[in-house]
Amino acid sequence: MNRNPSRSDNLIHQFDTVLRTLVPHAAQASRPSPASPEVHDDPMDEEERRHAAGLMRINHTGEVCAQALYQGQGLTAKLPDVRGQMEASARDEIDHLAWCDERLEELHDRPSLLNPLFYAASFGIGAVAGAVGDRMSLGFLAATEQQVGRHLEEHLVELPSADQRSRAVLRQMAIDEAQHAQLALEAGGARFPAPVKFGMRLMAKVMSGSVYRV
Ligand SMILES: [Fe+2]
Ligand SMILES: [Fe+2]
């Protein structure tokens, strides 16, 4: 039987996304983690392990924010042809979330306790951008993806040299995020002026600074 999803179906779907994002180990990746069994770490001391976990916690929270942004974008999108493309990007983000979660567990650590807060904030921002229109919400997605990409490049350098498994995850994420940014721009996303991007960088700094430890 073919039917359009009702309001309550949609509400259940949205709630399911929130749970899968915020409950540890609930996200299911559709692709195997790039940290495959063939990728081996060298031994790390406690300080290195803590540093690697702090960086991976930042990346995990970044993916929590991505879930919220794509969810907000999906709820407000008006152009049906854009929706399909953005849903494909959102599926990649679920992989990223699950991979970071797995890696944190391997490092005997946990995701950030602040995730619900960042999820709510990102959802709010996504919904406001979406209310303004597709051009704004796609532009915001593109700018965020570009910023995440820059973070990933920095983390690839900052990670302890022994940590090859986190590196494998971040390398694939960087490839995916660059493609997501491109897709959002091609779908009609606005290119944001430098002051807006500066504000976004400042917000990202606040997020990374707190999540590294908490
Ligand atoms: Fe991602
Ligand atoms: Fe992305």
Side-chain angles (χ1 to χ4, degrees), residues 7 13 49 52 65 95 114 116 118 126 138 149 157 179 213-214:
R7 243 182 115 91
H13 174 69
R49 183 205 65 80
C65 295
D95 289 352
L114 303 174
F118 285 111
L138 289 170
V157 177
Q179 199 194 359
R213 281 168 217 290
V214 186

Side-chain angles (χ1 to χ4, degrees), residues 9 11 23 32 39 61 67-68 116 118 138 144 148 156 198 203 205:
D9 284 344
L11 210 68
V23 174
V39 182
T61 301
Q67 292 296 317
F118 285 111
L138 289 170
T144 307
V148 172
L156 279 167
F198 178 74
M203 257 171 43
K205 264 216 162 74

Side-chain angles (χ1 to χ4, degrees), residues 10 13-14 17-18 21 62-78 82-97 118-119 121-127 129-130 134 137-146 148 173 175-185 187:
N10 198 15
H13 174 69
Q14 300 304 334
T17 307
V18 178
T21 306
E63 295 304 323
V64 166
C65 295
Q67 292 296 317
L69 274 185
Y70 275 97
Q71 197 182 6
Q73 209 281 327
L75 278 174
T76 53
K78 287 161 198 76
V82 169
R83 190 184 292 269
Q85 281 177 348
M86 291 305 114
E87 278 172 359
S89 296
R91 272 195 296 280
D92 288 346
E93 305 299 2
I94 297 175
D95 289 352
H96 299 172
L97 186 73
F118 285 111
Y119 186 93
S122 302
F123 186 84
I125 292 170
D134 280 342
S137 67
L138 289 170
F140 192 75
L141 266 182
T144 307
E145 295 282 9
Q146 285 164 347
V148 172
M173 279 167 55
I175 293 170
D176 293 346
E177 314 301 17
Q179 199 194 359
H180 298 163
Q182 188 66 27
L183 275 174
L185 286 177

